[in-house]
């Protein structure tokens, strides 16, 4: 029984394909950059447009600034951001080359004078960001729940105080005796007697 031995060409071909696959895998490793400050009015579209000049950009997330007034529309300003590059190498290069440099572009651009604050995040994946955001949302929900419960307690206490005050007022009015003629006469009897000076003055006036 004869056994077929693969030719050297086939072996080389297999090796080449495996090398290509490993290279592809390396290229497919994504890299994430952290942007610590976002210039005013810069949004996801704009930052994607700028970063795309240096390499292929994947996902971008910008953290909206917290509104000072509750119930207000979400702010158009952002405090920090994360930019995902489809190539880890490109992400490293962008962070190294652009950090502490002016954003530049057109001189009339509102971002022209601002400086990039970038940092490459090694071993950081997008799932880590999702976990962080999920945690922050949970903390915010808990905080809101606590504030609502406290407001309810304060409202209940205030209502109870008002009700108690009204009861005391009604009780006071109920227990108050009506003023009669006998009471007035009794009060007149206990009126303070006039002093000698007052009596003398009255006598002089009569004279």
């Amino acid at each position: 029984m004869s056994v077929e031995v693969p030719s050297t060409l086939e072996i080389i071909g297999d090796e080449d394909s495996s090398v290509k696959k490993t290279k592809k895998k390396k290229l497919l490793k994504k890299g994430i950059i952290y942007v610590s400050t976002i210039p005013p009015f810069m949004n996801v579209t704009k930052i994607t447009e700028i970063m795309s000049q240096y390499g292929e950009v994947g996902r971008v997330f910008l953290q909206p600034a917290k509104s000072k007034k509750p119930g207000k529309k979400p702010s158009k300003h952002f405090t920090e951001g994360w930019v995902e590059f489809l190539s880890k190498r490109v992400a490293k290069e962008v962070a190294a080359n652009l950090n502490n440099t002016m954003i530049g572009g057109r001189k009339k651009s509102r971002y022209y004078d601002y400086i990039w604050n970038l940092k490459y995040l090694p071993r950081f994946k997008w799932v880590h960001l999702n976990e962080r955001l999920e945690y922050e949302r949970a903390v915010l929900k808990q905080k809101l729940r606590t504030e609502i419960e406290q407001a309810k307690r304060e409202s209940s206490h205030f209502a109870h105080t008002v009700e108690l005050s009204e009861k005391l007022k009604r009780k006071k009015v109920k227990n108050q005796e009506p003023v009669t003629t006998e009471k007035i006469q009794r009060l007149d009897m206990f009126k303070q007697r006039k002093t000698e000076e007052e009596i003398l003055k009255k006598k002089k006036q009569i004279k």
Side-chain angles (χ1 to χ4, degrees):
M1 187 177 176
S2 61
V3 179
E4 288 184 9
V5 180
S7 64
T8 52
L9 286 170
E10 285 175 342
I11 293 165
I12 291 163
D14 288 341
E15 283 178 358
D16 287 344
S17 62
S18 63
V19 168
K20 281 178 183 177
K21 280 179 183 177
T22 51
K23 279 184 179 179
K24 271 188 178 181
K25 279 182 182 178
K26 282 183 181 178
L27 287 170
L28 286 171
K29 278 190 177 179
K30 296 171 183 178
I32 295 170
I33 286 174
Y34 173 65
V35 189
S36 62
T37 52
I38 308 293
F41 305 104
M42 184 173 273
N43 53 27
V44 172
T45 308
K46 189 64 187 175
I47 205 165
T48 306
E49 183 189 321
I50 294 168
M51 291 297 175
S52 295
Q53 296 171 18
Y54 308 102
E56 201 172 346
V57 174
R59 290 165 287 192
V60 177
F61 176 77
L62 301 182
Q63 181 73 52
K66 288 178 182 177
S67 179
K68 290 179 182 178
K69 293 180 181 178
K72 206 177 178 184
K73 286 182 180 179
S75 176
K76 289 182 181 179
H77 298 287
F78 301 94
T79 54
E80 56 185 349
W82 291 262
V83 181
E84 181 189 60
F85 283 91
L86 299 185
S87 169
K88 186 179 177 180
R89 180 182 57 80
V90 171
K92 282 182 179 179
E93 286 175 2
V94 170
N97 295 329
L98 292 186
N99 188 40
N100 288 329
T101 62
M102 286 175 67
I103 292 174
R106 294 178 183 177
K107 283 190 177 181
K108 289 181 181 180
S109 171
R110 57 178 67 172
Y111 320 115
Y112 184 81
D113 294 322
Y114 286 93
I115 291 171
W116 284 119
N117 290 303
L118 307 174
K119 186 183 178 182
Y120 173 73
L121 302 174
R123 297 182 297 279
F124 187 84
K125 294 180 181 179
W126 203 259
V127 69
H128 299 146
L129 177 60
N130 289 334
E131 284 170 4
R132 176 190 155 167
L133 295 172
E134 195 63 41
Y135 172 74
E136 284 179 359
R137 278 193 285 268
V139 169
L140 184 63
K141 274 184 183 178
Q142 183 60 40
K143 190 181 176 184
L144 287 169
R145 202 178 291 119
T146 307
E147 285 176 1
I148 289 163
E149 283 173 5
Q150 190 178 347
K152 280 181 179 178
R153 281 196 298 270
E154 286 174 3
S155 177
S156 177
H157 177 70
F158 178 74
H160 177 70
T161 308
V162 170
E163 191 181 347
L164 192 66
S165 176
E166 290 294 327
K167 278 182 180 178
L168 287 168
K169 278 181 184 177
R170 286 196 294 271
K171 195 175 181 182
K172 196 175 180 182
V173 170
K174 194 177 179 181
N175 293 339
Q176 196 173 5
E177 291 180 22
V179 180
T180 59
T181 50
E182 284 180 20
K183 267 194 174 183
I184 294 164
Q185 286 171 1
R186 219 179 298 151
L187 286 166
D188 287 339
M189 283 172 70
F190 292 102
K191 271 185 182 178
Q192 193 177 356
R193 292 181 68 183
K194 290 179 181 180
T195 60
E196 287 182 13
E197 285 181 12
E198 285 175 340
I199 293 163
L200 287 167
K201 276 183 184 179
K202 200 171 183 181
K203 281 181 179 180
K204 282 178 183 179
Q205 284 173 2
I206 293 164
K207 286 177 181 180

